[in-house]
Amino acid sequence: LIIFVLLIAGWEVDNLGQTHAGDYDLLESTAQSLLGDISRNCTEDGWSEPFPHYYDACGFDENETESDNQDYYYLSVKALYTVGYSTSLVSLTTAMVILCRFRKLHCTRNFIHMNLFVSFILRAISVFIKDGVLYAEQDGNHCFISTVECKAVMVFFHYCVMSNYFWLFIEGLYLFTLLVETFFPERRYFYWYTIIGWGTPTICVTVWAVLRLHFDDTGCWDMNDNTALWWVIKGPVVGSIMINFVLFIGIIVILVQKLQSPDIGGNESSIYL
């Protein structure tokens, strides 16, 4: 049976049962004519495994199909967040122009809002820059890119993301302080808010960059396989979110207590509500 199959496939068999390459054109044409056919042999131990594999018989490449689907998925996600960040960038820029243009809107609360808007704007810009540097060439594998330029872009990107989270934290901290303290020196507090909002991310990202340069200087620093180093950035962010949640619960408790107080009524009650 084996000799018969080899003859059909275009191989020549000598008297000793050994094979050597014969007419390759006959082999290729026969393989093409049998495309889609799958066979199995009846042996003493039962039916053999089907051959050829159905991937080969059908001309189907599973890896290629999965790769195409994955590429389409990532391109769709990239297009979606690009539209979202672009819309956010235009809206926030308009808001910043309005807040800067009208002097009547200048107060500590709006200054904090403006810094938060700037952090969102920088975050959107950093995403566009990161995509432009890492994915400029669609056929290139960005995992093996290792240049000073792309590493600097990733440092800037992480700084913008951290600043965004910390100014969200400042928003909650400001509101909580406003409710707790009777005499509130806003200008002095705003000075410290600025240091926390922009200074803390600067320190954390600088430490992360130095540690990454010495202990995990691989690729473009866009992959964070070293969990210990990644916590230098992720830890403060998670901490700010947890503290902000506690402040949120505290704000709700204070407002409910003020609304239930018998001394509160009229316009003051509506303000707290």
Side-chain angles (χ1 to χ4, degrees), residues 176-191:
F176 181 79
T177 308
L178 195 65
L179 292 173
V180 171
E181 292 197 11
T182 305
F183 301 100
F184 185 52
E186 293 188 350
R187 182 170 298 181
R188 189 183 68 184
Y189 274 97
F190 181 74
Y191 174 78

Side-chain angles (χ1 to χ4, degrees), residues 242-256:
M242 294 177 64
I243 297 175
N244 231 0
F245 180 75
V246 174
L247 294 176
F248 169 72
I249 299 299
I251 291 170
I252 297 299
V253 172
I254 293 173
L255 292 178
V256 171

Side-chain angles (χ1 to χ4, degrees), residues 10-11 34 103 142 154 156 186 188 200 215 232 236 252 255:
W11 290 76
L34 295 178
R103 295 183 61 87
H142 72 278
M154 291 307 303
F156 176 67
E186 293 188 350
R188 189 183 68 184
T200 305
F215 299 105
V232 175
I252 297 299
L255 292 178

Side-chain angles (χ1 to χ4, degrees), residues 28-82:
E28 184 176 15
S29 62
T30 305
Q32 292 178 350
S33 65
L34 295 178
L35 186 64
D37 293 339
I38 300 177
S39 305
R40 55 170 38 177
N41 289 333
C42 180
T43 65
E44 296 179 356
D45 299 327
W47 289 102
S48 66
E49 293 294 329
F51 66 91
H53 196 277
Y54 66 88
Y55 285 163
D56 300 327
C58 299
F60 175 75
D61 189 349
E62 181 185 25
N63 295 329
E64 181 178 356
T65 304
E66 289 182 354
S67 178
D68 292 341
N69 293 336
Q70 193 176 41
D71 291 342
Y72 177 77
Y73 169 76
Y74 285 124
L75 288 175
S76 301
V77 172
K78 182 182 178 182
L80 184 63
Y81 74 66
T82 300

Side-chain angles (χ1 to χ4, degrees), residues 229-240:
L229 296 183
W230 180 229
W231 271 102
V232 175
I233 291 180
K234 187 168 66 173
V237 169
V238 174
S240 68

Side-chain angles (χ1 to χ4, degrees), residues 10-211:
W11 290 76
E12 297 176 359
V13 183
D14 57 21
N15 294 331
L16 297 177
Q18 297 177 344
T19 61
H20 53 274
D23 189 356
Y24 180 76
D25 295 333
L26 178 60
L27 170 64
E28 184 176 15
S29 62
T30 305
Q32 292 178 350
S33 65
L34 295 178
L35 186 64
D37 293 339
I38 300 177
S39 305
R40 55 170 38 177
N41 289 333
C42 180
T43 65
E44 296 179 356
D45 299 327
W47 289 102
S48 66
E49 293 294 329
F51 66 91
H53 196 277
Y54 66 88
Y55 285 163
D56 300 327
C58 299
F60 175 75
D61 189 349
E62 181 185 25
N63 295 329
E64 181 178 356
T65 304
E66 289 182 354
S67 178
D68 292 341
N69 293 336
Q70 193 176 41
D71 291 342
Y72 177 77
Y73 169 76
Y74 285 124
L75 288 175
S76 301
V77 172
K78 182 182 178 182
L80 184 63
Y81 74 66
T82 300
V83 172
Y85 276 119
S86 300
T87 306
S88 177
L89 187 60
V90 173
S91 303
L92 290 169
T93 303
T94 305
M96 283 293 298
V97 172
I98 295 174
L99 290 173
C100 294
R101 177 67 178 81
F102 298 98
R103 295 183 61 87
K104 292 183 178 180
L105 298 176
H106 292 181
C107 60
T108 301
R109 182 180 69 254
N110 284 340
F111 285 152
I112 294 176
H113 293 338
M114 291 168 67
N115 279 275
L116 178 64
F117 292 170
V118 170
S119 70
F120 272 112
I121 292 173
L122 290 176
R123 180 171 182 168
I125 293 175
S126 67
V127 169
F128 295 146
I129 296 175
K130 177 173 66 70
D131 288 351
V133 172
L134 293 183
Y135 310 115
E137 298 180 3
Q138 297 293 335
D139 297 332
N141 191 343
H142 72 278
C143 296
F144 297 100
I145 299 176
S146 182
T147 62
V148 176
E149 180 186 16
C150 71
K151 293 175 182 178
V153 168
M154 291 307 303
V155 171
F156 176 67
F157 170 74
H158 288 308
Y159 172 76
C160 295
V161 173
M162 282 200 71
S163 300
N164 194 196
Y165 278 107
F166 270 87
W167 276 106
L168 286 171
F169 165 69
I170 295 300
E171 288 275 359
L173 182 61
Y174 170 77
L175 182 57
F176 181 79
T177 308
L178 195 65
L179 292 173
V180 171
E181 292 197 11
T182 305
F183 301 100
F184 185 52
E186 293 188 350
R187 182 170 298 181
R188 189 183 68 184
Y189 274 97
F190 181 74
Y191 174 78
W192 288 105
Y193 291 155
T194 305
I195 294 177
I196 296 174
W198 298 113
T200 305
T202 301
I203 296 174
C204 294
V205 172
T206 302
V207 172
W208 174 81
V210 172
L211 293 176

